[in-house]
Amino acid sequence: MKKIGKKIGLLSSVVLAATAVLAAPSHAASSITLVAADYDGHGATQAFWNDLAKTFQAANADIKVNVQIVNWNDINQKVATLVSTGQVPDIVNDNLYSGRAAAGLLYKVSDVLPASVVDNIIPAFLNNSTYNGVPYAVPDLASARALFYNKDILTKAGIANPPTTWAELIAAEKAIKAKVPGVYPYAIPLGPEEAQAEFAIWAGGNGGQYYTNGKWTVNSTANIKAAAFLKSQAASGYTEPHPEQCDRTKCAQALFAAGKAAFIDGAIFFPAWLKANGGSGINYGVGAFPHNEGKNAITLGVQDYFSFFNGNKNATSIGKFMSYFFQPGNYANFLKATGGFIPATKDAGAAAAKDPVLGPFIKLLPNAVFYPGTVATWGTVQGAIQQKIGGIITGSPSGVLSDIQATALKAKA
Amino acid sequence: MAINTLNHVKKKPFYQSLPWIGPAIVVIALFVLWPAIEMFTTSFRYVNQAGQIRGWTGISNYQTLFTNSDLPGVLLRTGVWVIGVVLISVLISLPLAQMLHQKFVGRRIVRYCLIVPWAASVVMTAISWRWMLDSYYGIFNRIAQDLGFINQPYAWLGSPNIAFGWLMLVAVFVSVPFTTYVIIAGLSTIPEEILEAAKVDGANDWKRYWEIIFPLLRPALLIGIVINLINVFNSFPVIWAITQGGPGSSTDTTTTMAYKIAFKTSDIGQSASLATLNFLIILVFIGLFLRVNSRNAQKNK
């Protein structure tokens, strides 16, 4: 009995040790890892990257490409975990890069990509991909937001043209509430999923931004006024109940798809989403966001990035793979898989400008405000906005914005 | 006090027991001690947003944590959460266990039903509740509207305090089965003869419960309470799946707050300091557990 016990003891220790060895990551010199966000959620992004890796490997037998697709909710966290546990990826496709650049984790774009590829990127997008003025990321695609309105509801409420100013908006909302019962005039999602975008649009409509001229301005007077306006919107019953708990996809977009909301902030891919999620019968129009009197109409431009990690010294392989990715045919497939975004390359952009769906959004871009993605601490601030901005509805707008501003000022890269 | 029976056994050298306890020690060292030490050291380090360790920072992570304006509310809520959920679970479980201890037709089936919330994945349970409570599509609103209790959809998770109440209710729902089973186990150790004797002596049901059953149930009950304290304190999925602790931190406990600080605002150092604080609180609970356990062991001698 005793002997058996000893053997079991030894065996368990050996098994444990073996597991520990097996679990250690292995990096062959010719293998690169891509961690990419899942744009569509239905397998198209995954299929695209798998195919691209396969055809690339067929032509470059010495380079193996590992593809990991991660959903948007988890990707930033996944990348941070990979870095902190020493399993540094080579290429990451998500919405952050400057914090990584500040930490010295990234290659400069010029160290990885040939000039011919970089020159084909639309300059405005490339300029949003710099750290200390040097490009540390390349845009993969971009999107813009626009006001979507339900034409049938507006007709029922007797509204001929969608509102262009906040005063007109309130008048329209009053009419909708009075004449079309059961409909929430404006679906405003301030739940954590995408609250930083929603608030950026309303703040922008009042001339405010998160970051202005090199300084955080989350609690600027313009932003506080915009927040107070949102609070009054909710209090007057012009929004869905409890905007602070309403996430973009499952709540706001679902309400619009069900014909229960007259206005919504929609991204460029929203029409495709509507079709796929039971909203194909919605008779919608697209226009500019209403803005405060005396301010300019704006849109929110959002771009995502490829960032290239230097931890595995795979610059050459990364460059080859990315050049292959940006070949027009492959890039067109990427745009198709991700579901109708604005292209980041000049040649694809020129074609998209003539597209009936993309064209209007591309025209909005010159008036676009972008997130301060070039600031190294943007990731932290974005997280704080997503978690806390809903508080402007339930609490004090200036208090909440000042709290986020304090987080922004304290954040270290 | 009873004499410790182990004293009668001749003690053997420590190393002879190693083959027996060795694997357990290895597992504990790898999966408990090492992470705890990493957590503790990380709480004194500066970890940048990208996840790199950038040297020591003394107690600055703790300073950031204790000046975090969300912390007082979250601590208070954690107290309400732990005490409230455990207390209500026990108050429901005591009579429930008493009932399930009786012999009646279909007892087995009722006992099986009670296991379901315990056996089901907590995340699954929590997500089901979230959708039941959903203000637009939830079954609660549907039923309440069909029955005419309310005219228009009600946001059950609307105000933070009410949402927190629902979270506690779901947590109670998840903890009741375990608590009840611990009490049933305790009830089955009470000899029938004692109860019969009390009956012969003329004690009524109420008196028998409080004078005989309840005191004999105490060991089982105490263990149930302490294990629940630990489980409920650490409970992450219920809160995360239903409200994510939001809006802001208005339905956070220290556990969800530590997660958010680490992964939403990318401050690993501050999160580690909160995790260390959590760890200290858990140590107090574990100390309680060990004391209760050893007291029970002595009584049983």
Side-chain angles (χ1 to χ4, degrees):
Chain A
M1 191 61 197
K2 205 168 164 191
K3 267 189 180 163
I4 295 174
K6 252 184 198 165
K7 273 185 186 161
I8 293 175
L10 270 175
L11 191 68
S12 327
S13 317
V14 169
V15 169
L16 270 174
T19 332
V21 170
L22 283 176
S26 63
H27 277 301
S30 58
S31 101
I32 55 172
T33 301
L34 164 83
V35 178
D38 185 5
Y39 274 97
D40 63 298
H42 300 291
T45 311
Q46 175 95 53
F48 166 79
W49 284 114
N50 286 349
D51 283 354
L52 193 77
K54 214 161 107 192
T55 54
F56 175 75
Q57 278 163 194
N60 301 270
D62 56 328
I63 305 173
K64 188 179 179 317
V65 182
N66 303 308
V67 174
Q68 293 184 32
I69 306 296
V70 184
N71 74 58
W72 273 116
N73 281 333
D74 299 327
I75 189 157
N76 302 148
Q77 174 187 335
K78 166 103 180 174
V79 172
T81 308
L82 288 174
V83 169
S84 59
T85 53
Q87 313 168 65
V88 184
D90 295 292
I91 305 170
V92 169
N93 177 202
D94 68 351
N95 56 359
L96 296 175
Y97 72 94
S98 51
R100 298 165 193 158
L105 289 165
L106 299 185
Y107 282 118
K108 287 177 196 162
V109 171
S110 57
D111 290 344
V112 179
L113 291 185
S116 59
V117 174
V118 181
D119 288 345
N120 192 28
I121 304 286
I122 294 171
F125 294 148
L126 195 62
N127 288 340
N128 283 329
S129 316
T130 59
Y131 178 69
N132 284 343
V134 181
Y136 271 90
V138 285
D140 63 330
L141 43 72
S143 80
R145 305 298 180 98
L147 177 76
F148 283 70
Y149 51 91
N150 185 316
K151 285 183 183 169
D152 297 341
I153 297 176
L154 263 57
T155 311
K156 272 187 214 161
I159 303 162
N161 294 308
T164 61
T165 65
W166 284 359
E168 288 177 30
L169 175 64
I170 290 175
E173 288 170 331
K174 253 185 204 156
I176 293 167
K177 253 197 119 178
K179 294 181 193 156
V180 199
V183 163
Y184 307 117
Y186 211 129
I188 299 178
L190 293 177
E193 183 186 355
E194 189 74 357
Q196 85 284 1
E198 190 67 28
F199 187 70
I201 290 167
W202 290 97
N206 195 34
Q209 292 200 42
Y210 293 131
Y211 190 84
T212 320
N213 298 329
K215 285 199 179 81
W216 288 107
T217 50
V218 182
N219 63 342
S220 66
T221 320
N223 288 1
I224 292 173
K225 268 193 181 160
F229 181 74
L230 283 177
K231 184 173 177 146
S232 72
Q233 283 273 303
S236 316
Y238 296 153
T239 69
E240 77 283 6
H242 297 287
E244 75 279 9
Q245 300 194 346
C246 181
D247 272 335
R248 171 181 64 170
T249 312
K250 281 178 190 154
C251 169
Q253 293 189 171
L255 285 174
F256 192 84
K260 284 186 166 181
F263 300 110
I264 191 173
D265 133 40
I268 200 157
F269 50 82
F270 187 48
W273 186 92
L274 269 181
K275 228 180 232 172
N277 290 277
S280 48
I282 299 290
N283 178 18
Y284 67 84
V286 183
F289 291 109
H291 53 87
N292 202 358
E293 281 69 20
K295 308 287 179 187
N296 296 319
I298 57 103
T299 182
L300 174 72
V302 179
Q303 64 180 68
D304 300 327
Y305 314 93
F306 286 110
S307 51
F308 313 112
F309 284 73
N310 54 24
N312 306 318
K313 305 275 172 262
N314 281 333
T316 320
S317 304
I318 297 171
K320 278 186 188 167
F321 182 67
M322 288 314 295
S323 304
Y324 184 67
F325 167 85
F326 275 116
Q327 284 177 13
N330 292 333
Y331 187 63
N333 287 338
F334 177 67
L335 290 173
K336 211 161 124 195
T338 48
F341 285 84
I342 299 172
T345 63
K346 287 176 185 164
D347 46 12
K354 294 172 200 139
D355 185 284
V357 179
L358 291 181
F361 284 91
I362 294 176
K363 277 200 199 97
L364 289 172
L365 278 177
N367 298 320
V369 291
F370 283 86
Y371 298 137
T374 57
V375 184
T377 52
W378 166 239
T380 300
V381 180
Q382 172 171 277
I385 297 171
Q386 288 172 341
Q387 297 302 314
K388 294 188 169 169
I389 199 81
I392 62 172
I393 304 293
T394 51
S396 140
S398 68
V400 170
L401 293 177
S402 299
D403 189 20
I404 300 171
Q405 170 82 0
T407 306
L409 294 178
K410 263 194 286 182
K412 289 184 287 184
Chain B
M1 199 173 283
I3 302 160
N4 194 335
T5 45
L6 280 176
N7 286 346
H8 297 301
V9 183
K10 208 183 141 205
K11 277 209 171 147
K12 289 188 175 165
F14 171 69
Y15 62 85
Q16 288 206 357
S17 58
L18 265 186
W20 298 94
I21 56 171
I25 291 179
V26 170
V27 169
I28 290 173
L30 266 176
F31 295 104
V32 179
L33 275 182
W34 182 34
I37 292 167
E38 281 286 329
M39 172 188 77
F40 187 69
T41 50
T42 305
S43 73
F44 296 101
R45 278 181 159 140
Y46 169 46
V47 183
N48 69 18
Q49 279 185 58
Q52 291 169 304
I53 295 169
R54 285 288 156 100
W56 302 94
T57 58
I59 56 163
S60 86
N61 286 325
Y62 289 89
Q63 282 169 335
T64 317
L65 175 67
F66 289 120
T67 53
N68 189 325
S69 55
D70 293 335
L71 188 69
V74 170
L75 281 177
L76 179 72
R77 221 168 293 118
T78 308
V80 173
W81 169 258
V82 172
I83 294 169
V85 171
V86 173
L87 193 72
I88 298 169
S89 300
V90 168
L91 288 180
I92 293 176
S93 298
L94 275 174
L96 199 60
Q98 202 63 38
M99 190 187 93
L100 289 175
H101 188 59
Q102 308 304 316
K103 292 192 175 69
F104 58 88
V105 180
R107 180 175 78 163
R108 184 186 294 238
I109 293 169
V110 178
R111 281 192 180 184
Y112 284 165
C113 291
L114 187 65
I115 296 183
V116 172
W118 185 12
S121 133
V122 179
V123 175
M124 200 176 83
T125 311
I127 289 177
S128 307
W129 276 90
R130 187 183 74 203
W131 282 109
M132 287 193 282
L133 294 167
D134 188 273
S135 43
Y136 304 105
Y137 314 105
I139 188 93
F140 272 52
N141 269 332
R142 185 63 189 273
I143 293 173
Q145 275 176 297
D146 285 355
L147 294 178
F149 292 131
I150 50 177
N151 296 326
Q152 55 173 18
Y154 184 74
W156 300 100
L157 300 173
S159 83
N161 288 339
I162 295 174
F164 197 66
W166 280 107
L167 293 180
M168 287 178 66
L169 187 136
V170 177
V172 167
F173 178 76
V174 172
S175 346
V176 158
F178 167 74
T179 322
T180 306
Y181 271 85
V182 171
I183 298 172
I184 289 178
L187 283 174
S188 60
T189 62
I190 299 174
E192 282 292 321
E193 302 88 71
I194 302 182
L195 295 172
E196 300 257 326
K199 206 172 190 176
V200 172
D201 288 346
N204 63 16
D205 287 351
W206 202 239
K207 202 149 191 175
R208 272 190 297 153
Y209 186 79
W210 287 114
E211 303 282 327
I212 297 174
I213 298 179
F214 192 73
L216 287 171
L217 212 51
R218 262 189 54 196
L221 192 60
L222 279 176
I223 287 186
I225 288 176
V226 179
I227 292 182
N228 256 329
L229 281 178
I230 296 171
N231 279 345
V232 171
F233 179 78
N234 280 330
S235 172
F236 178 83
V238 170
I239 298 174
W240 195 255
I242 297 180
T243 65
Q244 293 197 7
S249 68
S250 57
T251 53
D252 267 325
T253 63
T254 49
T255 311
T256 53
M257 187 186 176
Y259 178 86
K260 274 195 203 167
I261 293 175
F263 296 118
K264 298 295 171 186
T265 40
S266 342
D267 190 344
I268 305 280
Q270 192 195 154
S271 178
S273 61
L274 180 52
T276 304
L277 189 73
N278 274 349
F279 190 68
L280 292 179
I281 297 173
I282 279 291
L283 275 186
V284 171
F285 288 150
I286 291 174
L288 262 176
F289 173 74
L290 291 177
R291 256 188 87 162
V292 168
N293 231 353
S294 66
R295 202 185 281 167
N296 284 348
Q298 280 174 1
K299 269 194 191 150
N300 288 342
K301 294 274 151 60

